[in-house]
Amino acid sequence: MKMILRKAGAWLEDRTGVVSAIKPIMNHLVPPGAKWAYVFGSATLFCFMLQIVTGIGLALLYQPSSEAAYQSLRFITDQATFGRVLRGIHFFGASGMVLFVGVHMIRVYIMAAYKYPREMNWITGVLLLFLTIIMGFTGQLLRWDSNGVWSSVVAAQNLGRIPLIGTTMARLLLGGDTIGAQTLSRFFAYHVFLVPALMFAFIGFHLFLVIRNGISEPPKAGQPVDPKTYRKWYEAMLKREGVPFWPDAAWRDAMFGALVVIAIVGLAITIGPPALTQPPDPSIINTTPAPDWYMLPIFALFALVPPKTEPYLIFFGPILAVGALFALPFLSGTGERSPIRRPWAVFGVVCVVVAVGALLLVGEIAPWSPRFDTKPLATVVSYHDPLLERGAILFYKKGCQYCHMVHGEGGIKGPNLSVIGRTWTANQLTVQIVNGGGNMPAYGGSLNNGELHDLVAFLSAQK
Ligand code: HEC
């Protein structure tokens, strides 16, 4: 038996040369100091592989048509064996991928590993970052629930605002003027064929470059990169102190990757995938599209900037961001790598991380969106006066409470009205309600006199 196996192995190796191709990759020398900070790239790769496996599993059951998509996802979530876990892994795998791409990028930036000769490692990495974001964005629409669809509507509307090319780009993205059956097929093709194919190609190229240019050595202050001498110096350093990639460096990658996979599966089993909201229905506008967390900073940014500047932001923002990221290795491709000698670079990345974190937080609270899930006041507070009770019911029924908070219930798009009766007279209240203004709709046409009276009486009593 052993003989047969050995013979078969020798035959395969003779005809394919797989082992002799992989051996030098596994044995190649890497700098000795490459420690735990270096595991995030491979952690991203582990997540990606998880996405491929679970993605194929999901695609076996998913039906990419606007009539069937939602139901097939319901089926996957509620009935298919392990379907819920499968969706969960795919969701947390995506989250993990975005997270680790970000951390990997920050690590590379702080250690200035993008400098000579690794400029192209950085550039392919930037492309992979965008492809990852596109995967998240297109995947969300495939859920085909109101959340996913409305998030894409918002994105397409923003895209449509770009001067000159916006409408064409939005049409290209959606496969038509509005979101419909075409959009779903198109996003399915992007998410399952086009973008993964690009990702495979660029990941392959990225890894090839990592091996060809070598893993960057941990930076030392006072040891600047000089293109004239760097490669020679690096070779000599590897000969002197290098350790074989397998197992000396790779065991950390393998161990961290295994932990990541275990964590993702654990989250998928305990928390599970995000619940599907109701099926998309253009006539239901009582919904606040909340994209997945990694999209929130972008949504929050657009919600916060003054509406007039949005077309410029959507046009110049990505161009500036992509431009800056691509230009980085050419602007500072040589010189000091140590973060101690690059305080402004470190300060800059801290600012970016804080800003993105803050946007994520406000995006989570979404003070600019009405809260449609607020509970009717009359069920929370007991009003003994029938007039006040009528007012409280109207306050909810007419939608005031989606934007205004009273006694801790309600939205925060408009001012808190818990003590409005102290400062506003009945007249002022009437004028505000009838005319609206600011970001408040005018209610003159949709309230009769009795309702208006009850509402004003209710608000006047809030002291
Ligand atoms: C879409 C969200 C929204 C809805 C719905 C809404 N409001 Fe407002 N409301 C606002 C905003 C925003 C302001 C602040 C306007 C401004 O700054 O000029 C405001 C201001 C007010 C004010 C003045 C308070 C102050 O301190 O400035 C009153 C009173 C008020 N709303 C009552 C109501 C009532 C009653 C209803 C229901 C009939 C209602 N609002 C529905 C958003 C809303």
Side-chain angles (χ1 to χ4, degrees), residues 203-414:
I203 289 175
F205 193 32
H206 195 70
L207 294 182
F208 165 77
L209 290 173
V210 168
I211 292 167
R212 178 178 184 274
N213 294 327
I215 295 173
S216 70
E217 75 286 359
K220 282 202 192 86
Q223 210 177 72
V225 175
D226 180 354
K228 285 203 199 71
T229 55
Y230 181 81
R231 280 200 200 266
K232 264 215 179 93
W233 173 86
Y234 184 81
E235 286 300 315
M237 182 270 298
L238 276 192
K239 275 221 182 79
R240 226 170 34 243
E241 323 162 15
V243 294
F245 175 64
W246 182 266
D248 288 57
W251 72 269
R252 285 191 196 86
D253 293 310
M255 194 148 126
F256 188 72
L259 281 180
V260 167
V261 171
I262 290 171
I264 288 174
V265 173
L267 287 170
I269 292 172
T270 52
I271 298 179
L276 295 169
T277 50
Q278 71 267 37
D281 179 347
S283 65
I284 302 177
I285 50 166
N286 276 13
T287 162
T288 318
D292 288 342
W293 68 269
Y294 43 85
M295 295 287 161
L296 271 180
I298 303 174
F299 268 61
L301 184 66
F302 280 109
L304 286 179
V305 297
K308 283 217 179 78
T309 61
E310 261 181 46
Y312 303 99
L313 182 73
I314 186 121
F315 188 63
F316 292 112
I319 292 182
L320 279 180
V322 177
L325 286 173
F326 277 156
L328 175 72
F330 302 105
L331 294 178
S332 79
T334 61
E336 283 285 352
R337 283 186 50 210
S338 166
I340 300 168
R341 296 285 169 92
R342 296 160 51 244
W344 285 108
V346 175
F347 178 70
V349 80
V350 170
C351 287
V352 170
V353 170
V354 169
V356 171
L359 283 174
L360 184 62
L361 259 178
V362 278
E364 201 63 63
I365 304 169
W368 51 82
S369 317
R371 288 201 182 141
F372 297 113
D373 56 355
T374 179
K375 288 194 272 307
L377 258 181
T379 66
V380 187
V381 185
S382 46
Y383 294 97
H384 301 297
D385 182 343
L387 178 66
L388 288 188
E389 180 154 8
R390 279 206 308 276
I393 292 171
L394 278 172
F395 190 71
Y396 177 79
K397 256 177 54 189
K398 293 294 172 182
C400 317
Q401 211 184 313
Y402 295 154
C403 294
H404 291 288
M405 194 172 278
V406 171
H407 297 304
E409 266 307 319
I412 51 179
K413 189 175 165 74

Side-chain angles (χ1 to χ4, degrees), residues 32-44 100-113 215-219 249 251-253 256 337 339:
K35 292 265 158 66
W36 288 102
Y38 284 60
V39 298
F40 299 110
S42 63
T44 314
F100 290 126
V101 164
V103 177
H104 176 53
M105 200 163 168
I106 291 169
R107 196 280 294 171
V108 164
Y109 180 76
I110 286 186
M111 293 192 175
I215 295 173
S216 70
E217 75 286 359
W251 72 269
R252 285 191 196 86
D253 293 310
F256 188 72
R337 283 186 50 210

Side-chain angles (χ1 to χ4, degrees), residues 399-400 403-404 413-415 424 429 432-433 437-441 443 459:
C400 317
C403 294
H404 291 288
K413 189 175 165 74
W424 283 52
L429 287 170
Q432 172 74 28
I433 295 171
N439 260 323
M440 171 165 158
Y443 279 86
L459 288 178

